[in-house]
Amino acid sequence: MAVKMRLARRGRKKAPFYHIVIADARAPRDGKFIEKIGSYNPTTVPATIELDRQKAFDWLSQGVQPTDTVNAILKFKGVLYRKHLARGVKKGAMTQEAADQLLETFINAKEAKVAARFEKTSQEKLDFYARLSGTAAAKKVEAAPVEEQNAFREESSEVEVSEAEPTVEVVQEAEPTADVVKEAKPTAEVVKEAEPIVAEVKEAEPTVEEVKEAEPIVAEVSGEEE
């Protein structure tokens, strides 16, 4: 029976999570397996890998073939390096103590690198949330020299004043519209009613007959002179 070391998918849709298992090569990917030796979560930064190194080394020693992805995981976790050192010890190139020391140094360096990467990711998340809440800008101002703090406050005050100024739309709304101005002007009918009527003016003027009556009669004047 061909046995392989491979991944078995778990988790929900679009959130994969894998088990590292020892299974029959003819079995379905997510079917039965012989033993589970670890897990692999690619959704985190960096990816989270949990592996039983001793069990993985024992199965490799028995001839189990890993898939490409599992082979990369074994290389990263130092299992393949341990297999390489065990071959050197078997050939007499080094002692077991020296091999164990080299393996421990390798694993410690890898673990420190992973821990630093996790810490960096966590700090990046904290900085991102701080920028969203605005606390990062306040801390930056507090840590800056006095002159830079004053400059920052002046800039912020200018921004507040500019925001307080009325906008163009508000000014336009405050101005009287053309319809209001037109309504305020007197219409043609009102002007006509205010002007004196020509007929009334003419009636007020003396008529020709009244003028004639007011003038002295020529005949009477001439008789008096005689």
Side-chain angles (χ1 to χ4, degrees):
M1 179 180 68
V3 180
K4 298 194 72 174
M5 189 182 302
R6 65 187 185 189
L7 299 178
R9 194 185 191 283
R10 300 290 185 269
R12 64 182 184 277
K13 185 178 181 181
K14 295 184 179 181
F17 181 82
Y18 299 94
H19 289 168
I20 304 173
V21 298
I22 308 298
D24 187 356
R26 298 169 295 181
R29 183 197 65 178
D30 302 331
K32 293 182 178 180
F33 56 87
I34 301 172
E35 186 179 10
K36 173 187 170 183
I37 61 174
S39 62
Y40 169 60
N41 184 6
T43 59
T44 61
V45 181
T48 304
I49 302 173
E50 296 180 2
L51 180 67
D52 190 335
R53 293 186 177 88
Q54 184 60 45
K55 289 183 178 180
F57 178 76
D58 294 340
W59 281 105
L60 282 178
S61 301
Q62 297 177 19
V64 174
Q65 294 298 319
T67 60
D68 294 339
T69 305
V70 175
N71 189 73
I73 293 174
L74 297 176
K75 182 179 181 180
F76 181 79
K77 300 299 285 186
V79 178
L80 295 183
Y81 185 58
R82 181 182 177 182
K83 184 179 180 181
H84 171 72
L85 293 176
R87 190 180 298 112
V89 172
K90 187 177 181 179
K91 292 182 177 179
M94 64 179 69
T95 62
Q96 186 64 42
E97 289 78 9
D100 294 340
Q101 184 64 33
L102 291 174
L103 180 62
E104 184 179 358
T105 303
F106 177 85
I107 292 175
N108 291 337
K110 284 289 184 180
E111 294 296 335
K113 185 177 180 180
V114 172
R117 187 68 180 91
F118 272 114
E119 185 178 356
K120 181 180 179 181
T121 302
S122 178
Q123 186 62 38
E124 288 175 354
K125 288 182 179 180
L126 293 176
D127 294 341
F128 174 74
Y129 291 129
R131 287 195 300 270
L132 288 181
S133 61
T135 57
K139 291 180 179 179
K140 185 177 180 180
V141 173
E142 292 177 358
V146 179
E147 296 178 356
E148 295 182 2
Q149 292 182 17
N150 296 333
F152 179 81
R153 292 192 179 94
E154 290 177 359
E155 292 178 0
S156 61
S157 62
E158 291 177 1
V159 173
E160 292 177 357
V161 170
S162 61
E163 290 179 355
E165 293 178 357
T167 58
V168 178
E169 296 179 357
V170 177
V171 174
Q172 290 178 354
E173 291 179 359
E175 294 179 357
T177 58
D179 297 337
V180 177
V181 174
K182 290 181 180 178
E183 292 179 359
K185 293 180 179 180
T187 58
E189 296 178 357
V190 176
V191 173
K192 289 181 180 179
E193 291 179 359
E195 293 177 355
I197 303 173
V198 178
E200 294 179 358
V201 174
K202 288 180 179 181
E203 290 178 0
E205 294 177 357
T207 60
V208 178
E209 295 177 357
E210 293 177 354
V211 173
K212 288 181 179 181
E213 291 178 358
E215 293 178 356
I217 302 172
V218 178
E220 296 177 355
V221 173
S222 61
E224 293 177 356
E225 289 179 355
E226 291 175 358

